[in-house]
Amino acid sequence: MLWLCIQLPKLPLEALTRAHRAGDSTPLAVAQSSLIIEANQAANSHNVEPGLSIATACAYCADLQLLERDAEREEQLLQQLAQWAYSFTPVVSPRSAEREHNQPDNHFACLYLEISGCLKAHHGLRPLLQQLGKELRKMRISHFMGLGHSPSAAHLLSQLPEHRQWLAETKHAPTPQQWRQWISFAPSKLLDCNHKAIAKLYASGIKRVSQLLAIPLSEVGSRFGRNFISYLAQLNGTRPDPVPSFEPPAEFHNELFFPSPLDNSEQLLFPAGRLIRELCRQLQRRQLYSQQLCWVLDYGSRGQQQLNVEVSRPLLDPQRLIALTKLQFERVELKEPVQALTLKCQQLQPIENQNLREDFFDEGSKLNESYQLIDKLKARLGHQALSGVTLKESYLPEQAWQNADSLTLQSKARSHHLTPVRAPRPNWLLPRPDRIQQRDHKLFYDGELHLLQGPERIDGYWWQHRRHARDYYIARGSHGSLYWVFQDLTSENWFLHGVYS
């Protein structure tokens, strides 16, 4: 097996500042219990580093903006990154940060990826690592990687600068002998154990892993315990190194937090575009789609506001989704400055082969413009402003159709379950038939009517007590208008039912 460990050293900071534009020079730092946990590059230039007290950091940088650490947002971002990694390989295991006694130099959050099964799909090790690094940089996630034959080995080697340099240049995975050399060369302070164990190793003069491996296991166990021996065996690959497997939810959920709240809907478009691009990359790899984007504007203490963007067909083009989102945001008046923007897509569905067919000469491709128009109208006017028409199981014209909640376009390849009548029908059907006057065996409705075509008999509900038997005709009025009229066979009265355009 081939395990890749992606360490995320600045996750506490990036969980709160990932929405910032690149090049922002505001000094920022994340603090917890009077200590600086993480700081950005602008703060680092003023000597603000993890481990400093807040008072010392503010003395170094008077303009330093302090943010309180949010462990919940860190965990959310870690789960989002695990879902992103799952689009590369089905074996992913996220590991949260372990910070004992608020010490900033302890273990970082990381992702474990088993990549041996996906190397061929990505044309080898180096292209895969380059693609992973490229997308992490696009998401503005700081990271460093390590490669090992077990998760423990990958985690150890990811902290070794020489191994990271080798990993950036290599094209092939190392041999078991090379792995053993890397592990033996590693300083003992990089071992995945607590501070007390590290201090005891250094007190014993053990500064390299090779020195530790040269000691008999029985002697190591008496000093450091069984758990430490088990860890060394996992590091060497002589004992299984299981990690909990990540199961992606059947939905997409991603959030950007704004340390400086946004008070203009146009300012939301840049972070919204970033979330949409991340969504499309994941859905394309997993061959899924969603017909609704749910945006949540978080106003903090003033509550939240939800906006829905609907699409009529599977759509994975980020530019089109950004355009629809822009139309939706233009209709919104912000109640308060927005503190966080969340994108949720629930009920993800697999993309079927027919949904991917977009041949230029195929009839399905001709519906694209109609789909786009419907989506734009929904985004501009709202879902409630549009409705569709569906057939009902009734022969009576006024009962043969009904409003639909959404508009649905279908090509001829997918016919309706109910076959529509092919006889000519008027474009405008009256809400209820209007009585036509009769004099001297002639029909009058705003002038004399002349029957041109018919009759077409429609006999509905003949099995019930109230029978509806009608003979329909197409008639021309005195001004040239065409009408759809019928005679009720029960009462022998004439009615106007529709008008042709």
Side-chain angles (χ1 to χ4, degrees):
M1 302 183 77
L2 191 61
W3 287 90
L4 181 70
C5 176
I6 304 178
Q7 296 226 39
L8 311 168
K10 292 186 177 293
L11 196 69
L13 178 67
E14 289 159 347
L16 301 176
T17 62
R18 201 162 63 96
H20 279 200
R21 291 181 180 270
D24 192 347
S25 58
T26 304
L28 294 171
V30 178
Q32 181 183 23
S33 301
S34 302
L35 285 178
I36 300 298
I37 298 297
E38 198 56 67
N40 66 355
Q41 187 173 0
N44 292 151
S45 64
H46 291 83
N47 299 320
V48 177
E49 297 179 350
L52 293 179
S53 66
I54 292 179
T56 304
C58 292
Y60 284 154
C61 180
D63 298 329
L64 182 64
Q65 182 178 349
L66 292 173
L67 304 172
E68 185 178 356
R69 185 188 179 197
D70 192 332
E72 183 177 351
R73 291 189 187 277
E74 286 181 45
E75 186 63 27
Q76 288 178 0
L77 180 55
L78 181 61
Q79 293 298 317
Q80 293 160 16
L81 292 174
Q83 193 167 351
W84 160 80
Y86 188 83
S87 62
F88 288 88
T89 172
V91 185
V92 178
S93 179
R95 172 178 168 178
S96 302
E98 300 173 6
R99 298 185 181 270
E100 299 175 355
H101 308 295
N102 300 323
Q103 293 296 324
D105 57 347
N106 220 354
H107 304 298
F108 303 121
C110 63
L111 293 173
Y112 294 116
L113 284 68
E114 205 291 307
I115 60 174
S116 61
C118 64
L119 292 179
K120 188 175 182 180
H122 292 87
H123 310 289
L125 177 63
R126 190 168 185 179
L128 174 60
L129 296 179
Q130 290 176 341
Q131 184 66 23
L132 289 169
K134 179 181 177 181
E135 295 195 11
L136 284 169
R137 287 189 292 272
K138 280 186 178 180
M139 293 186 286
R140 298 179 63 183
I141 298 296
S142 303
H143 64 280
F144 51 86
M145 302 181 185
L147 195 66
H149 57 275
S150 68
S152 297
H155 184 272
L156 173 67
L157 296 179
S158 66
Q159 304 171 79
L160 196 62
E162 294 84 357
H163 175 78
R164 296 204 297 264
Q165 180 64 30
W166 172 86
L167 193 61
E169 300 173 356
T170 187
K171 296 182 179 180
H172 306 285
T175 63
Q177 183 179 1
Q178 287 176 307
W179 263 321
R180 285 192 290 270
Q181 290 176 351
W182 283 119
I183 294 173
S184 298
F185 179 75
S188 56
K189 66 179 181 180
L190 300 182
L191 292 173
D192 191 6
C193 52
N194 56 39
H195 285 293
K196 292 181 179 180
I198 298 295
K200 189 180 294 186
L201 287 172
Y202 269 73
S204 303
I206 302 175
K207 297 182 179 181
R208 294 281 178 184
V209 176
S210 57
Q211 297 174 277
L212 180 63
L213 297 178
I215 303 174
L217 289 180
S218 59
E219 189 173 339
V220 174
S222 63
R223 293 188 180 185
F224 299 97
R226 288 186 177 181
N227 291 337
F228 192 77
I229 293 180
S230 177
Y231 168 65
L232 290 180
Q234 293 171 349
L235 202 59
N236 275 331
T238 57
R239 179 174 295 183
D241 188 9
V243 290
S245 182
F246 172 75
E247 293 293 337
E251 61 180 16
F252 177 86
H253 184 282
N254 207 342
E255 179 187 52
L256 290 178
F257 174 77
F258 311 117
S260 300
L262 306 182
D263 56 3
N264 191 317
S265 60
E266 292 185 1
Q267 296 175 334
L268 295 173
L269 291 178
F270 177 75
R274 180 180 299 171
L275 293 177
I276 287 176
R277 282 186 283 270
E278 293 178 9
L279 166 70
C280 291
R281 281 196 295 266
Q282 291 194 30
L283 294 185
Q284 284 174 353
R285 290 199 184 98
R286 297 177 61 187
Q287 291 296 290
L288 300 173
Y289 77 95
S290 175
Q291 290 190 293
Q292 185 179 77
L293 308 184
C294 178
W295 294 99
V296 179
L297 311 183
D298 189 350
Y299 298 113
S301 59
R302 292 294 302 273
Q304 297 178 339
Q305 183 178 2
Q306 181 172 311
L307 306 173
N308 293 326
V309 176
E310 296 186 3
V311 291
S312 302
R313 60 171 303 176
L315 183 59
L316 299 178
D317 184 353
Q319 296 304 322
R320 293 184 185 179
L321 292 177
I322 291 173
L324 294 177
T325 299
K326 180 180 179 182
L327 292 175
Q328 186 70 273
F329 282 0
E330 288 175 352
R331 302 173 54 235
V332 178
E333 292 185 6
L334 301 183
K335 303 175 183 177
E336 291 286 335
V338 179
Q339 298 184 6
L341 178 65
T342 302
L343 173 58
K344 297 189 294 185
C345 293
Q346 300 174 339
Q347 299 178 352
L348 299 181
Q349 303 175 19
I351 296 180
E352 301 176 356
N353 291 334
Q354 57 265 31
N355 292 330
L356 297 175
R357 184 185 60 187
E358 290 191 0
D359 187 357
F360 182 78
F361 298 100
D362 183 46
E363 183 188 0
S365 64
K366 300 177 183 178
L367 297 177
N368 288 342
E369 294 183 1
S370 300
Y371 280 117
Q372 295 176 26
L373 175 61
I374 291 174
D375 294 339
K376 289 180 179 179
L377 289 174
K378 286 182 180 180
R380 173 69 73 178
L381 305 176
H383 177 80
Q384 70 282 354
L386 303 179
S387 64
V389 177
T390 59
L391 298 176
K392 289 178 59 179
E393 294 183 357
S394 176
Y395 288 104
L396 294 181
E398 65 269 26
Q399 298 180 12
W401 63 277
Q402 65 180 358
N403 287 328
D405 292 336
S406 60
L407 295 173
T408 302
L409 298 178
Q410 294 185 349
S411 63
K412 291 181 181 179
R414 295 191 204 169
S415 60
H416 291 282
H417 293 295
L418 299 177
T419 304
V421 178
R422 299 301 179 185
R425 291 290 183 262
N427 293 333
W428 180 27
L429 197 68
L430 274 62
R432 62 179 59 185
D434 195 4
R435 182 75 177 271
I436 296 177
Q437 297 180 1
Q438 303 179 60
R439 294 194 302 271
D440 300 329
H441 302 287
K442 295 181 179 180
L443 304 177
F444 295 88
Y445 188 88
D446 193 19
E448 186 177 354
L449 297 177
H450 299 278
L451 302 181
L452 301 179
Q453 182 178 331
E456 176 194 350
R457 178 159 296 181
I458 298 179
D459 195 351
Y461 301 103
W462 52 266
W463 61 91
Q464 295 183 357
H465 178 68
R466 296 186 59 183
R467 182 181 179 184
H468 297 272
R470 304 169 181 176
D471 280 345
Y472 277 85
Y473 298 83
I474 298 177
R476 177 183 287 120
S478 58
H479 301 291
S481 301
L482 295 179
Y483 300 101
W484 201 37
V485 300
F486 71 85
Q487 183 183 28
D488 190 320
L489 300 183
T490 302
S491 63
E492 298 188 353
N493 294 325
W494 286 82
F495 298 87
L496 174 68
H497 203 178
V499 181
Y500 291 89
S501 59

